[in-house]
Amino acid sequence: MKKYFISGAMLAGLMSLAACSNDEGVVADNNGAEQQFTITLASSGDRATRAAADRTLESEAAGQSIEKVTLVVRSQDDGADKNKVVYTYTLDNWNGTATNYDTNGHGKKLTFTIPKADKLGAGSYVVTAVGYNEGNYTLSLPNKGDVVDKNITATTPTGAEAKEVFAGEQKFNVTADKKIEETDASKAIQSVDVTLHRQVAGAYGYFTSIPAKIGKTEVASIRMVSRSKNTVLTFGSFNSSFTTTDAHVMYMVNGSVPATKTAKFLNGEEANVLFSAKIADWFPGGDENIDGVYDKKDTNWTKHYSGSYLKGSVFASNFIVPFSATQGKSTLELQLLDATGNVLYAWPVKLDASNDQIGKTGETASADLFGAGTAMGFAETADVFSLFRNHIYSIGIHKQDTTNPDKTDPGTDEPTDLSKIQNVVIRVNDNWEALHHMSIDE
Protein backbone atom coordinates (compact mmCIF):
# COMPACT_ATOMS: atom_id res chain seq x y z
CA MET A 1 0.00 0.00 0.00
CA LYS A 2 1.29 3.44 -0.79
CA LYS A 3 1.83 5.60 2.23
CA TYR A 4 2.10 9.35 2.57
CA PHE A 5 4.13 10.67 5.48
CA ILE A 6 4.08 14.24 6.70
CA SER A 7 6.79 15.20 9.17
CA GLY A 8 6.78 18.41 11.20
CA ALA A 9 10.27 19.19 12.52
CA MET A 10 12.27 21.85 14.34
CA LEU A 11 15.98 22.39 13.67
CA ALA A 12 18.49 24.14 15.92
CA GLY A 13 20.58 26.52 13.81
CA LEU A 14 20.54 27.39 10.15
CA MET A 15 19.59 24.65 7.67
CA SER A 16 20.39 24.48 3.99
CA LEU A 17 17.32 24.78 1.76
CA ALA A 18 18.93 23.68 -1.47
CA ALA A 19 16.70 20.63 -1.73
CA CYS A 20 13.61 22.80 -1.95
CA SER A 21 14.78 25.98 -3.62
CA ASN A 22 11.96 25.78 -6.19
CA ASP A 23 9.25 25.93 -3.52
CA GLU A 24 7.92 29.48 -3.14
CA GLY A 25 6.72 28.67 0.37
CA VAL A 26 10.24 28.11 1.67
CA VAL A 27 11.53 31.08 3.66
CA ALA A 28 14.80 30.87 5.60
CA ASP A 29 14.80 32.35 9.10
CA ASN A 30 18.29 33.19 10.28
CA ASN A 31 17.20 34.31 13.74
CA GLY A 32 16.89 31.21 15.86
CA ALA A 33 15.60 27.72 15.31
CA GLU A 34 13.84 26.87 12.06
CA GLN A 35 10.66 24.84 11.89
CA GLN A 36 10.23 22.54 8.94
CA PHE A 37 7.70 20.17 7.46
CA THR A 38 9.04 17.32 5.37
CA ILE A 39 6.45 15.68 3.15
CA THR A 40 7.43 12.23 1.96
CA LEU A 41 5.42 10.14 -0.48
CA ALA A 42 6.55 6.53 -0.45
CA SER A 43 5.42 4.59 -3.48
CA SER A 44 5.88 1.05 -4.72
CA GLY A 45 4.78 1.72 -8.28
CA ASP A 46 5.56 3.95 -11.24
CA ARG A 47 2.23 5.77 -11.02
CA ALA A 48 3.69 8.02 -8.31
CA THR A 49 5.66 9.88 -10.99
CA ARG A 50 2.76 10.53 -13.35
CA ALA A 51 1.86 14.04 -14.39
CA ALA A 52 -1.28 15.72 -13.13
CA ALA A 53 -3.79 13.38 -14.73
CA ASP A 54 -6.24 11.58 -12.46
CA ARG A 55 -5.51 7.94 -11.92
CA THR A 56 -8.25 5.60 -13.05
CA LEU A 57 -8.89 2.40 -11.12
CA GLU A 58 -7.51 -0.04 -13.70
CA SER A 59 -6.44 -2.76 -11.27
CA GLU A 60 -5.82 -3.40 -7.58
CA ALA A 61 -2.52 -1.51 -7.74
CA ALA A 62 -2.20 1.13 -5.03
CA GLY A 63 -1.18 3.91 -7.41
CA GLN A 64 -1.81 7.64 -7.09
CA SER A 65 -1.45 10.83 -9.09
CA ILE A 66 -1.97 13.52 -6.45
CA GLU A 67 -0.72 16.97 -7.43
CA LYS A 68 -1.61 19.08 -4.37
CA VAL A 69 -1.09 18.62 -0.63
CA THR A 70 -2.62 21.12 1.78
CA LEU A 71 -1.48 21.34 5.41
CA VAL A 72 -3.64 22.84 8.14
CA VAL A 73 -2.12 23.31 11.62
CA ARG A 74 -4.50 24.08 14.50
CA SER A 75 -3.79 25.02 18.11
CA GLN A 76 -4.96 22.47 20.67
CA ASP A 77 -4.41 24.56 23.81
CA ASP A 78 -7.54 24.95 25.93
CA GLY A 79 -9.28 28.30 25.74
CA ALA A 80 -10.93 30.53 23.18
CA ASP A 81 -8.29 29.77 20.57
CA LYS A 82 -8.56 25.98 20.73
CA ASN A 83 -8.81 24.65 17.17
CA LYS A 84 -7.74 28.01 15.78
CA VAL A 85 -5.86 27.61 12.51
CA VAL A 86 -2.35 28.94 13.05
CA TYR A 87 -0.75 27.86 9.78
CA THR A 88 -1.81 26.64 6.33
CA TYR A 89 0.21 25.78 3.27
CA THR A 90 -0.58 24.21 -0.11
CA LEU A 91 2.03 22.42 -2.18
CA ASP A 92 1.25 22.81 -5.89
CA ASN A 93 2.74 20.60 -8.60
CA TRP A 94 3.80 17.88 -6.17
CA ASN A 95 5.26 15.63 -8.85
CA GLY A 96 7.16 18.46 -10.50
CA THR A 97 8.50 19.94 -7.26
CA ALA A 98 9.25 16.97 -5.04
CA THR A 99 12.47 15.00 -5.50
CA ASN A 100 12.99 11.25 -5.79
CA TYR A 101 14.31 9.66 -2.64
CA ASP A 102 14.92 5.97 -3.36
CA THR A 103 17.04 4.09 -5.88
CA ASN A 104 14.07 3.07 -8.00
CA GLY A 105 12.55 6.54 -8.25
CA HIS A 106 9.34 5.22 -6.69
CA GLY A 107 9.02 7.80 -3.96
CA LYS A 108 9.15 11.57 -3.58
CA LYS A 109 9.76 14.03 -0.78
CA LEU A 110 9.81 17.77 -0.22
CA THR A 111 11.04 19.80 2.75
CA PHE A 112 10.03 23.39 3.36
CA THR A 113 10.51 25.84 6.20
CA ILE A 114 7.76 27.70 8.02
CA PRO A 115 8.32 31.46 7.51
CA LYS A 116 9.48 33.39 10.56
CA ALA A 117 6.12 35.14 10.93
CA ASP A 118 4.33 31.78 11.21
CA LYS A 119 6.67 30.00 13.60
CA LEU A 120 4.86 27.84 16.13
CA GLY A 121 5.34 28.82 19.75
CA ALA A 122 5.12 26.55 22.78
CA GLY A 123 1.85 24.64 22.93
CA SER A 124 -0.16 21.73 21.60
CA TYR A 125 -1.05 21.39 17.93
CA VAL A 126 -2.56 19.07 15.35
CA VAL A 127 -1.58 18.98 11.69
CA THR A 128 -4.12 17.78 9.13
CA ALA A 129 -3.08 17.12 5.54
CA VAL A 130 -5.09 16.40 2.40
CA GLY A 131 -3.67 15.12 -0.90
CA TYR A 132 -5.85 15.80 -3.95
CA ASN A 133 -6.16 17.09 -7.50
CA GLU A 134 -7.75 20.43 -8.30
CA GLY A 135 -11.39 20.29 -9.37
CA ASN A 136 -12.12 16.77 -8.18
CA TYR A 137 -13.83 17.94 -4.99
CA THR A 138 -15.08 21.07 -3.31
CA LEU A 139 -12.94 21.09 -0.17
CA SER A 140 -13.98 22.79 3.08
CA LEU A 141 -10.43 23.91 3.87
CA PRO A 142 -10.22 26.54 6.65
CA ASN A 143 -8.18 29.72 6.50
CA LYS A 144 -5.51 30.93 8.89
CA GLY A 145 -7.20 32.52 11.89
CA ASP A 146 -10.40 30.46 11.64
CA VAL A 147 -11.59 28.64 14.75
CA VAL A 148 -13.10 25.40 13.48
CA ASP A 149 -15.26 22.72 15.08
CA LYS A 150 -15.84 20.37 12.15
CA ASN A 151 -13.66 17.99 10.18
CA ILE A 152 -12.60 18.90 6.66
CA THR A 153 -15.00 17.61 4.02
CA ALA A 154 -14.78 16.99 0.28
CA THR A 155 -17.86 17.14 -1.95
CA THR A 156 -17.99 15.58 -5.42
CA PRO A 157 -19.20 17.97 -8.14
CA THR A 158 -22.82 17.41 -9.19
CA GLY A 159 -23.06 14.36 -11.42
CA ALA A 160 -19.36 13.51 -11.11
CA GLU A 161 -17.83 10.26 -9.87
CA ALA A 162 -15.50 10.11 -6.87
CA LYS A 163 -11.77 10.49 -7.42
CA GLU A 164 -8.84 9.45 -5.26
CA VAL A 165 -8.09 11.68 -2.30
CA PHE A 166 -5.85 11.13 0.72
CA ALA A 167 -5.85 12.58 4.23
CA GLY A 168 -4.45 12.12 7.71
CA GLU A 169 -3.53 14.03 10.84
CA GLN A 170 -1.34 13.92 13.93
CA LYS A 171 -1.14 15.78 17.25
CA PHE A 172 2.19 17.15 18.49
CA ASN A 173 3.54 19.43 21.23
CA VAL A 174 6.13 22.22 21.01
CA THR A 175 8.11 23.02 24.15
CA ALA A 176 9.30 26.42 25.35
CA ASP A 177 12.73 25.80 23.82
CA LYS A 178 11.14 25.05 20.42
CA LYS A 179 11.55 21.28 20.61
CA ILE A 180 8.99 18.67 19.69
CA GLU A 181 8.14 16.44 22.63
CA GLU A 182 8.58 12.66 22.59
CA THR A 183 10.93 12.59 19.61
CA ASP A 184 14.44 11.30 19.16
CA ALA A 185 16.64 14.15 20.42
CA SER A 186 19.70 12.58 18.77
CA LYS A 187 18.33 13.30 15.30
CA ALA A 188 19.06 16.57 13.54
CA ILE A 189 15.40 16.77 12.54
CA GLN A 190 12.85 15.74 15.15
CA SER A 191 9.78 14.61 13.28
CA VAL A 192 6.05 14.30 13.74
CA ASP A 193 4.96 11.60 11.30
CA VAL A 194 1.51 11.54 9.73
CA THR A 195 0.35 8.83 7.34
CA LEU A 196 -2.12 9.88 4.67
CA HIS A 197 -4.53 7.08 3.78
CA ARG A 198 -6.91 6.81 0.88
CA GLN A 199 -10.31 8.21 1.84
CA VAL A 200 -12.42 6.57 -0.86
CA ALA A 201 -13.44 2.98 -1.52
CA GLY A 202 -12.96 1.27 -4.87
CA ALA A 203 -14.95 -1.26 -6.87
CA TYR A 204 -14.31 -3.06 -10.13
CA GLY A 205 -15.63 -5.88 -12.27
CA TYR A 206 -13.48 -8.00 -14.59
CA PHE A 207 -15.47 -10.32 -16.85
CA THR A 208 -15.22 -12.69 -19.79
CA SER A 209 -17.58 -15.02 -21.67
CA ILE A 210 -20.39 -12.49 -21.28
CA PRO A 211 -23.67 -13.70 -22.78
CA ALA A 212 -24.25 -11.97 -26.12
CA LYS A 213 -28.01 -12.35 -25.85
CA ILE A 214 -30.62 -12.99 -23.21
CA GLY A 215 -33.36 -14.74 -25.09
CA LYS A 216 -33.45 -12.95 -28.44
CA THR A 217 -32.31 -9.58 -27.11
CA GLU A 218 -28.69 -8.48 -27.51
CA VAL A 219 -26.70 -7.52 -24.41
CA ALA A 220 -25.34 -3.98 -24.84
CA SER A 221 -23.81 -3.24 -21.44
CA ILE A 222 -22.98 -4.57 -18.01
CA ARG A 223 -23.20 -2.60 -14.76
CA MET A 224 -23.14 -2.83 -10.98
CA VAL A 225 -25.88 -1.06 -9.04
CA SER A 226 -25.97 -0.32 -5.33
CA ARG A 227 -28.53 0.37 -2.64
CA SER A 228 -26.77 3.64 -1.76
CA LYS A 229 -24.23 6.13 -3.04
CA ASN A 230 -22.82 9.17 -1.23
CA THR A 231 -21.40 12.50 -2.39
CA VAL A 232 -19.52 13.96 0.62
CA LEU A 233 -16.36 12.65 2.31
CA THR A 234 -15.51 13.49 5.93
CA PHE A 235 -11.82 13.48 6.83
CA GLY A 236 -12.04 12.23 10.41
CA SER A 237 -11.77 9.09 12.56
CA PHE A 238 -8.44 8.38 10.88
CA ASN A 239 -6.86 4.96 11.02
CA SER A 240 -3.42 6.16 12.11
CA SER A 241 -2.49 2.70 13.44
CA PHE A 242 -2.85 1.00 10.06
CA THR A 243 0.56 0.52 8.48
CA THR A 244 0.62 -2.92 6.84
CA THR A 245 -1.74 -5.42 5.29
CA ASP A 246 -4.37 -6.79 7.67
CA ALA A 247 -2.97 -4.82 10.61
CA HIS A 248 -5.58 -2.84 12.54
CA VAL A 249 -8.08 -2.80 9.66
CA MET A 250 -10.96 -0.39 10.26
CA TYR A 251 -14.50 -0.72 8.92
CA MET A 252 -15.25 2.96 8.59
CA VAL A 253 -17.82 4.80 6.45
CA ASN A 254 -16.74 8.42 6.04
CA GLY A 255 -19.36 9.26 3.40
CA SER A 256 -22.67 11.12 3.69
CA VAL A 257 -25.28 13.03 1.66
CA PRO A 258 -26.92 10.48 -0.66
CA ALA A 259 -26.68 10.90 -4.42
CA THR A 260 -29.77 11.05 -6.59
CA LYS A 261 -30.98 7.60 -7.61
CA THR A 262 -30.32 6.97 -11.30
CA ALA A 263 -31.09 3.26 -11.76
CA LYS A 264 -33.23 0.38 -10.50
CA PHE A 265 -32.73 -3.13 -9.23
CA LEU A 266 -34.34 -5.89 -11.26
CA ASN A 267 -37.28 -5.86 -8.82
CA GLY A 268 -37.90 -2.18 -9.50
CA GLU A 269 -36.40 -0.76 -6.29
CA GLU A 270 -34.34 2.39 -6.75
CA ALA A 271 -30.56 2.12 -7.07
CA ASN A 272 -27.38 3.95 -7.99
CA VAL A 273 -24.81 2.90 -10.59
CA LEU A 274 -21.39 2.04 -9.15
CA PHE A 275 -19.70 1.19 -12.46
CA SER A 276 -20.68 0.20 -15.98
CA ALA A 277 -19.18 -0.86 -19.31
CA LYS A 278 -20.47 -0.81 -22.87
CA ILE A 279 -19.85 -4.08 -24.69
CA ALA A 280 -19.15 -2.21 -27.94
CA ASP A 281 -16.17 -0.45 -26.31
CA TRP A 282 -14.47 -3.83 -25.94
CA PHE A 283 -16.05 -5.77 -28.82
CA PRO A 284 -16.67 -3.36 -31.73
CA GLY A 285 -19.12 -5.04 -34.08
CA GLY A 286 -20.57 -7.37 -31.45
CA ASP A 287 -20.36 -11.17 -31.20
CA GLU A 288 -18.09 -11.62 -34.19
CA ASN A 289 -18.08 -15.42 -34.36
CA ILE A 290 -21.77 -15.68 -33.36
CA ASP A 291 -21.15 -18.29 -30.66
CA GLY A 292 -23.36 -16.57 -28.09
CA VAL A 293 -20.66 -15.11 -25.82
CA TYR A 294 -18.16 -12.27 -25.85
CA ASP A 295 -14.76 -13.86 -25.23
CA LYS A 296 -11.24 -14.28 -26.62
CA LYS A 297 -12.52 -16.15 -29.67
CA ASP A 298 -13.92 -12.86 -30.95
CA THR A 299 -10.97 -11.39 -32.83
CA ASN A 300 -12.55 -7.93 -32.85
CA TRP A 301 -11.78 -7.54 -29.13
CA THR A 302 -9.92 -4.36 -28.23
CA LYS A 303 -8.69 -2.77 -24.99
CA HIS A 304 -10.82 0.13 -23.82
CA TYR A 305 -8.34 1.22 -21.12
CA SER A 306 -4.59 1.75 -21.21
CA GLY A 307 -3.74 -1.14 -18.90
CA SER A 308 -3.20 -4.77 -19.87
CA TYR A 309 -6.21 -7.07 -19.88
CA LEU A 310 -6.84 -10.65 -20.85
CA LYS A 311 -8.06 -11.01 -24.43
CA GLY A 312 -11.82 -11.31 -24.54
CA SER A 313 -12.37 -9.51 -21.24
CA VAL A 314 -14.41 -6.48 -20.18
CA PHE A 315 -13.36 -4.26 -17.26
CA ALA A 316 -15.29 -1.57 -15.39
CA SER A 317 -14.46 0.34 -12.21
CA ASN A 318 -14.87 3.45 -10.08
CA PHE A 319 -13.64 5.09 -6.93
CA ILE A 320 -16.56 5.42 -4.51
CA VAL A 321 -17.53 7.64 -1.60
CA PRO A 322 -18.10 5.00 1.14
CA PHE A 323 -21.67 4.20 2.20
CA SER A 324 -23.41 2.14 4.87
CA ALA A 325 -25.48 -0.96 4.23
CA THR A 326 -29.26 -0.72 4.43
CA GLN A 327 -30.38 -3.22 7.05
CA GLY A 328 -32.47 -6.01 5.56
CA LYS A 329 -31.73 -5.02 1.94
CA SER A 330 -29.10 -6.59 -0.31
CA THR A 331 -26.41 -4.07 -1.21
CA LEU A 332 -25.31 -4.80 -4.79
CA GLU A 333 -26.63 -6.30 -8.02
CA LEU A 334 -24.80 -7.08 -11.26
CA GLN A 335 -26.90 -6.48 -14.36
CA LEU A 336 -26.90 -7.10 -18.12
CA LEU A 337 -28.78 -4.44 -20.12
CA ASP A 338 -30.07 -4.00 -23.65
CA ALA A 339 -29.36 -0.99 -25.88
CA THR A 340 -32.24 1.02 -24.36
CA GLY A 341 -31.15 0.42 -20.76
CA ASN A 342 -33.65 -2.30 -19.86
CA VAL A 343 -32.34 -4.90 -17.41
CA LEU A 344 -32.23 -8.29 -19.13
CA TYR A 345 -30.62 -10.34 -16.38
CA ALA A 346 -29.33 -9.68 -12.88
CA TRP A 347 -27.34 -11.45 -10.20
CA PRO A 348 -27.39 -10.53 -6.50
CA VAL A 349 -23.82 -9.81 -5.39
CA LYS A 350 -22.43 -11.02 -2.10
CA LEU A 351 -19.22 -11.19 -0.13
CA ASP A 352 -17.39 -14.48 -0.11
CA ALA A 353 -18.38 -16.54 2.95
CA SER A 354 -14.81 -16.42 4.31
CA ASN A 355 -14.54 -12.63 4.06
CA ASP A 356 -13.40 -10.94 7.27
CA GLN A 357 -15.93 -8.15 6.84
CA ILE A 358 -18.81 -10.54 7.56
CA GLY A 359 -19.84 -10.28 11.20
CA LYS A 360 -18.08 -6.94 11.75
CA THR A 361 -20.02 -3.88 12.92
CA GLY A 362 -19.09 -0.85 10.87
CA GLU A 363 -18.74 2.74 12.06
CA THR A 364 -19.59 6.09 10.57
CA ALA A 365 -17.05 8.91 10.89
CA SER A 366 -17.94 11.90 13.03
CA ALA A 367 -18.32 15.35 11.51
CA ASP A 368 -16.97 16.85 14.74
CA LEU A 369 -13.26 17.32 15.33
CA PHE A 370 -11.90 14.23 17.07
CA GLY A 371 -15.43 12.91 17.52
CA ALA A 372 -15.76 9.18 17.97
CA GLY A 373 -17.21 7.09 15.16
CA THR A 374 -20.76 5.81 15.61
CA ALA A 375 -21.48 2.08 15.44
CA MET A 376 -24.00 1.18 12.74
CA GLY A 377 -26.15 -0.99 14.99
CA PHE A 378 -26.09 -4.21 12.97
CA ALA A 379 -23.43 -6.62 11.77
CA GLU A 380 -22.30 -6.96 8.17
CA THR A 381 -23.54 -10.04 6.30
CA ALA A 382 -22.66 -11.65 2.98
CA ASP A 383 -25.58 -9.91 1.27
CA VAL A 384 -26.04 -6.77 3.36
CA PHE A 385 -22.68 -5.02 3.60
CA SER A 386 -21.18 -1.55 3.51
CA LEU A 387 -18.48 -0.22 1.24
CA PHE A 388 -15.81 0.98 3.66
CA ARG A 389 -13.08 3.60 3.37
CA ASN A 390 -9.82 2.40 1.81
CA HIS A 391 -11.28 -1.01 0.94
CA ILE A 392 -11.52 -2.22 -2.65
CA TYR A 393 -14.36 -4.53 -3.75
CA SER A 394 -13.93 -6.64 -6.86
CA ILE A 395 -15.57 -9.25 -9.04
CA GLY A 396 -12.74 -11.11 -10.72
CA ILE A 397 -9.04 -10.43 -10.11
CA HIS A 398 -6.91 -7.83 -11.85
CA LYS A 399 -3.95 -7.08 -9.60
CA GLN A 400 -1.58 -5.63 -12.16
CA ASP A 401 -0.66 -5.49 -15.82
CA THR A 402 -0.79 -9.00 -17.25
CA THR A 403 2.29 -10.08 -19.18
CA ASN A 404 0.41 -12.60 -21.33
CA PRO A 405 -2.95 -11.38 -22.65
CA ASP A 406 -3.73 -14.87 -23.95
CA LYS A 407 -3.45 -16.71 -20.66
CA THR A 408 -5.34 -16.41 -17.39
CA ASP A 409 -3.07 -16.04 -14.39
CA PRO A 410 -5.04 -17.35 -11.37
CA GLY A 411 -4.78 -15.04 -8.41
CA THR A 412 -3.33 -12.23 -10.50
CA ASP A 413 -5.30 -11.83 -13.73
CA GLU A 414 -8.51 -13.84 -13.59
CA PRO A 415 -11.72 -12.41 -15.10
CA THR A 416 -14.99 -13.99 -14.00
CA ASP A 417 -16.69 -16.25 -16.54
CA LEU A 418 -20.31 -15.09 -16.83
CA SER A 419 -21.44 -17.70 -19.36
CA LYS A 420 -22.07 -20.19 -16.57
CA ILE A 421 -24.43 -17.83 -14.68
CA GLN A 422 -22.59 -18.84 -11.54
CA ASN A 423 -21.47 -17.20 -8.34
CA VAL A 424 -19.09 -14.28 -8.77
CA VAL A 425 -16.93 -13.32 -5.83
CA ILE A 426 -16.09 -9.90 -4.27
CA ARG A 427 -12.70 -9.43 -2.56
CA VAL A 428 -10.71 -6.64 -0.73
CA ASN A 429 -7.03 -5.90 -1.68
CA ASP A 430 -3.83 -6.14 0.35
CA ASN A 431 -2.47 -3.00 -1.34
CA TRP A 432 -5.41 -1.19 0.15
CA GLU A 433 -6.51 -1.55 3.74
CA ALA A 434 -8.52 -4.64 2.80
CA LEU A 435 -9.65 -6.46 -0.35
CA HIS A 436 -13.09 -8.07 -0.55
CA HIS A 437 -14.13 -10.86 -2.89
CA MET A 438 -17.75 -10.78 -3.95
CA SER A 439 -19.89 -13.37 -5.68
CA ILE A 440 -23.13 -13.32 -7.61
CA ASP A 441 -25.91 -15.81 -7.03
CA GLU A 442 -27.94 -17.48 -9.74
Side-chain angles (χ1 to χ4, degrees), residues 292-352:
V293 293
Y294 296 107
D295 62 11
K296 63 182 179 181
K297 296 177 184 177
D298 296 300
T299 59
N300 61 338
W301 177 83
T302 184
K303 289 192 305 179
H304 183 56
Y305 295 127
S306 61
S308 297
Y309 300 93
L310 195 70
K311 285 183 179 179
S313 65
V314 169
F315 185 88
S317 65
N318 261 329
F319 294 109
I320 298 158
V321 176
F323 60 84
S324 301
T326 301
Q327 191 169 13
K329 298 282 189 178
S330 59
T331 299
L332 300 179
E333 185 175 86
L334 184 68
Q335 301 177 337
L336 300 178
L337 292 83
D338 66 14
T340 62
N342 293 316
V343 180
L344 301 174
Y345 197 93
W347 298 268
V349 178
K350 65 180 183 181
L351 292 174
D352 182 78

Side-chain angles (χ1 to χ4, degrees), residues 398-419:
H398 189 55
K399 287 190 174 182
Q400 56 194 9
D401 288 349
T402 177
T403 57
N404 187 348
D406 293 305
K407 184 178 180 181
T408 298
D409 185 2
T412 298
D413 192 79
E414 193 172 1
T416 292
D417 185 333
L418 291 182
S419 66

Side-chain angles (χ1 to χ4, degrees), residues 167-390:
E169 66 185 19
Q170 182 63 52
K171 294 181 179 180
F172 63 99
N173 296 323
V174 176
T175 62
D177 59 351
K178 301 185 183 298
K179 297 292 181 66
I180 296 173
E181 290 183 348
E182 299 179 358
T183 59
D184 186 352
S186 66
K187 294 182 178 180
I189 300 178
Q190 300 171 336
S191 297
V192 175
D193 293 330
V194 181
T195 301
L196 273 67
H197 291 301
R198 187 182 289 103
Q199 296 297 298
V200 291
Y204 74 78
Y206 189 33
F207 311 105
T208 192
S209 298
I210 300 168
K213 292 183 179 181
I214 299 297
K216 296 182 179 181
T217 305
E218 291 187 358
V219 173
S221 63
I222 185 169
R223 73 181 183 188
M224 179 88 81
V225 298
S226 61
R227 189 71 54 181
S228 302
K229 191 174 185 178
N230 283 328
T231 61
V232 176
L233 289 159
T234 296
F235 299 150
S237 300
F238 293 108
N239 191 3
S240 58
S241 62
F242 173 71
T243 56
T244 58
T245 303
D246 297 327
H248 306 290
V249 171
M250 286 181 69
Y251 297 90
M252 179 65 64
V253 169
N254 61 330
S256 61
V257 185
T260 301
K261 304 289 186 182
T262 57
K264 291 184 182 295
F265 285 89
L266 183 61
N267 66 5
E269 294 178 350
E270 290 190 328
N272 296 101
V273 177
L274 284 195
F275 60 71
S276 63
K278 294 180 180 179
I279 300 300
D281 287 339
W282 297 82
F283 295 89
D287 181 18
E288 185 185 46
N289 64 352
I290 317 178
D291 66 352
V293 293
Y294 296 107
D295 62 11
K296 63 182 179 181
K297 296 177 184 177
D298 296 300
T299 59
N300 61 338
W301 177 83
T302 184
K303 289 192 305 179
H304 183 56
Y305 295 127
S306 61
S308 297
Y309 300 93
L310 195 70
K311 285 183 179 179
S313 65
V314 169
F315 185 88
S317 65
N318 261 329
F319 294 109
I320 298 158
V321 176
F323 60 84
S324 301
T326 301
Q327 191 169 13
K329 298 282 189 178
S330 59
T331 299
L332 300 179
E333 185 175 86
L334 184 68
Q335 301 177 337
L336 300 178
L337 292 83
D338 66 14
T340 62
N342 293 316
V343 180
L344 301 174
Y345 197 93
W347 298 268
V349 178
K350 65 180 183 181
L351 292 174
D352 182 78
S354 63
N355 197 290
D356 289 341
Q357 182 168 327
I358 296 174
K360 297 293 192 301
T361 299
E363 294 184 60
T364 55
S366 173
D368 296 327
L369 287 175
F370 299 106
T374 302
M376 291 179 186
F378 58 92
E380 303 280 304
T381 71
D383 304 296
V384 181
F385 55 93
S386 308
L387 268 65
F388 291 118
R389 177 185 64 195
N390 205 17

